[in-house]
Amino acid sequence: MNEHHAPADRTSRRWTWIGVLCAGAVVLAACGSSGSKSTASSSGVTINAASVPGVGNVLVNAKDGKTLYLLTSDTNGNITCTDDSGCTKVWPDTELPSGVTAATAGTGVDASKLSTVKSADGHLYPTYAGWPLYEYAGDTGAGQANGQGIVSFGGTWETLTPAGTPVLAKSATSAAATPTTGGYGY
């Protein structure tokens, strides 16, 4: 008679363990999901400082380390680089996510220099020492400053030091990309 109940007991125990494991997986997934959601919803824009070849210690985004730039025509709270002009296709802006009211000062950044500016369409953007911040589509990763010194969209694009000073020198990458004439006769 015990033999007759043994398979049923094993099956019951097996289903009990499967239930426990599934319940544990659901709890872990819920915890992981909850943690991810709170991080994503509370995250905004964090600004760091990093050494970038050719321009020195400048502002970068903390997300992927890409160099941040200012446009010299963005003065007195005016944002001249807009979606309408096509500027933000080449120079993506650093719009704050909905519900976030300020950027975060990361490594090497003076929090007192961070502020915000509101665009004509009501979007909020971080500024540093009064300058709205942009990335350059020509920078494919951290440690690049290919946009340094480019003149377009009514001003000159410059990197920005943690002191809030524009870097006016050409980057090594930009200088290396400048064509030179050689005596090759081609």
Side-chain angles (χ1 to χ4, degrees), residues 64-107:
D64 57 11
K66 285 188 179 177
T67 302
L68 295 171
Y69 298 86
L70 63 88
L71 177 60
T72 58
S73 60
D74 280 352
T75 56
N76 300 322
N78 292 328
I79 298 176
T80 58
C81 183
T82 64
D83 294 345
D84 292 340
S85 70
C87 180
T88 56
K89 289 181 181 169
V90 180
W91 300 93
D93 52 32
T94 53
E95 182 179 344
L96 293 172
S98 180
V100 176
T101 59
T104 302
T107 306

Side-chain angles (χ1 to χ4, degrees), residues 34-46 96-104:
S34 172
S36 296
K37 278 186 182 177
S38 68
T39 301
S41 66
S42 66
S43 69
V45 174
T46 300
L96 293 172
S98 180
V100 176
T101 59
T104 302

Side-chain angles (χ1 to χ4, degrees), residues 6 13-14 25 29 34 38 45 48 57 72 78 84 96 109 117 120 137 139 145 153 173 178 180-181 185:
R13 278 185 267 156
R14 189 174 303 144
S34 172
S38 68
V45 174
N48 285 343
N57 196 35
T72 58
N78 292 328
D84 292 340
L96 293 172
V109 172
V117 64
D139 289 344
F153 295 102
T173 307
T178 304
T180 58
T181 56

Side-chain angles (χ1 to χ4, degrees), residues 81-173:
C81 183
T82 64
D83 294 345
D84 292 340
S85 70
C87 180
T88 56
K89 289 181 181 169
V90 180
W91 300 93
D93 52 32
T94 53
E95 182 179 344
L96 293 172
S98 180
V100 176
T101 59
T104 302
T107 306
V109 172
D110 181 351
S112 71
K113 294 188 183 320
L114 280 172
S115 189
T116 58
V117 64
K118 191 176 280 193
S119 65
D121 61 2
H123 295 276
L124 201 56
Y125 298 89
T127 62
Y128 195 80
W131 297 103
L133 303 171
Y134 304 87
E135 292 182 9
Y136 176 52
D139 289 344
T140 57
Q144 299 176 0
N146 297 318
Q148 178 66 23
I150 291 177
V151 176
S152 67
F153 295 102
T156 304
W157 295 91
E158 309 287 357
T159 52
L160 191 61
T161 69
T165 308
V167 176
L168 302 177
K170 289 273 188 193
S171 74
T173 307

